[in-house]
């Protein structure tokens, strides 16, 4: 019964991760193309998708929480919990919510970093435009 629960949790975490990556893929591609350009956007898209799936699975599958369903080792005073239908529902729900929480954290960090990169790039563009404008004004007036 333990192995079936573990497999079900892995399936829930994997399916949730893939669904979230598929849902957010258009937004990620659009942001990456705007920030990094076409060539780099495709490579980073695969990396970010992989990172989101890995974070989702590692956050949703919590083997240390499942240890309570294993028989106790000799000499330890712990007890084994029985896998009932209610515990299955609870464990699958926990897997789903922890998967989503882990992916939300990764995506939050990703979007914060990209937003900072966008602001820096925009500030550099504005500075360059001002310097060019100042250079044109100096050339037009004949002074340096």
């Amino acid at each position: 019964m333990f192995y079936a629960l573990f497999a079900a949790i892995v399936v829930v975490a994997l399916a949730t991760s893939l669904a979230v990556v598929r849902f957010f893929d258009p937004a990620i591609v659009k942001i990456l193309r705007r920030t990094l350009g076409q060539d780099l956007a495709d490579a980073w898209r695969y990396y970010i998708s992989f990172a989101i799936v890995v974070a989702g699975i590692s956050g949703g599958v919590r083997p240390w929480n499942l240890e309570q369903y294993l028989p106790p080792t000799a000499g330890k005073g712990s007890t084994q919990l029985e896998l009932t239908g209610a515990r299955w529902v609870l464990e699958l729900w926990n897997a789903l919510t922890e998967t989503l929480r882990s992916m939300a954290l990764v995506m939050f960090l990703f979007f914060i970093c990209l937003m900072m990169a966008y602001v820096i790039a925009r500030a550099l563009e504005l500075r360059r435009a001002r310097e060019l404008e100042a250079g044109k004004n100096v050339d037009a007036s004949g002074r340096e």
Side-chain angles (χ1 to χ4, degrees):
M1 192 68 115
F2 172 81
Y3 296 112
L5 176 63
F6 186 76
I9 289 173
V10 170
V11 168
V12 166
L14 181 62
T16 304
S17 299
L18 293 175
V20 167
V21 165
R22 185 177 173 117
F23 180 78
F24 281 102
D25 190 57
I28 289 171
V29 169
K30 187 182 268 188
I31 291 169
L32 286 172
R33 284 185 182 155
R34 172 83 170 133
T35 307
L36 301 176
Q38 178 67 37
D39 296 335
L40 288 175
D42 291 334
W44 274 90
R45 174 181 154 216
Y46 293 119
Y47 171 72
I48 294 300
S49 298
F50 175 73
I52 291 170
V53 169
V54 167
I57 293 172
S58 66
V61 179
R62 301 167 325 279
W64 54 91
N65 285 359
L66 297 176
E67 287 178 357
Q68 60 191 347
Y69 302 114
L70 293 174
T73 57
K76 286 202 169 187
S78 64
T79 59
Q80 177 184 3
L81 293 177
E82 184 182 343
L83 275 173
T84 63
R87 289 198 192 271
W88 270 78
V89 171
L90 182 62
E91 288 296 334
L92 293 176
W93 177 256
N94 284 338
L96 175 71
T97 57
E98 290 298 316
T99 300
L100 292 172
R101 187 180 63 80
S102 298
M103 289 185 301
L105 178 62
V106 168
M107 292 173 62
F108 176 72
L109 293 173
F110 166 69
F111 286 119
I112 290 292
C113 291
L114 270 180
M115 187 57 68
M116 289 174 33
Y118 177 76
V119 168
I120 291 169
R122 186 74 176 136
L124 291 174
E125 288 174 4
L126 290 174
R127 177 195 268 178
R128 204 172 304 131
R130 281 192 215 127
E131 288 173 357
L132 286 175
E133 189 65 32
K136 288 180 183 177
N137 290 340
V138 169
D139 290 343
S141 67
R143 291 186 262 162
E144 287 190 37

